[in-house]
Amino acid sequence: MEVVVPWSELQSLVEPHYPKAGNGRRPVGLAIMLRTYFMQQWF
């Protein structure tokens, strides 16, 4: 998984659109969410 996907490039593309911590519930870290999403799609 680490070899196949360029995580740093993906994070830099998604980060401007990913929710920031505010008044509500804190969002899960972007790196964790990206990896979780990819795992869901692969399986």
Side-chain angles (χ1 to χ4, degrees):
M1 190 165 141
E2 296 296 322
V3 175
V4 176
V5 181
W7 295 113
S8 59
E9 291 177 30
L10 279 175
Q11 272 188 262
S12 64
L13 288 173
V14 175
E15 196 166 16
H17 307 286
Y18 196 70
K20 309 286 186 271
N23 294 334
R25 191 170 160 187
R26 281 194 331 211
V28 176
L30 176 57
I32 294 170
M33 286 305 292
L34 276 175
R35 284 172 171 79
T36 303
Y37 178 72
F38 272 74
M39 290 298 289
Q40 286 176 343
Q41 295 304 310
W42 290 337
F43 291 102

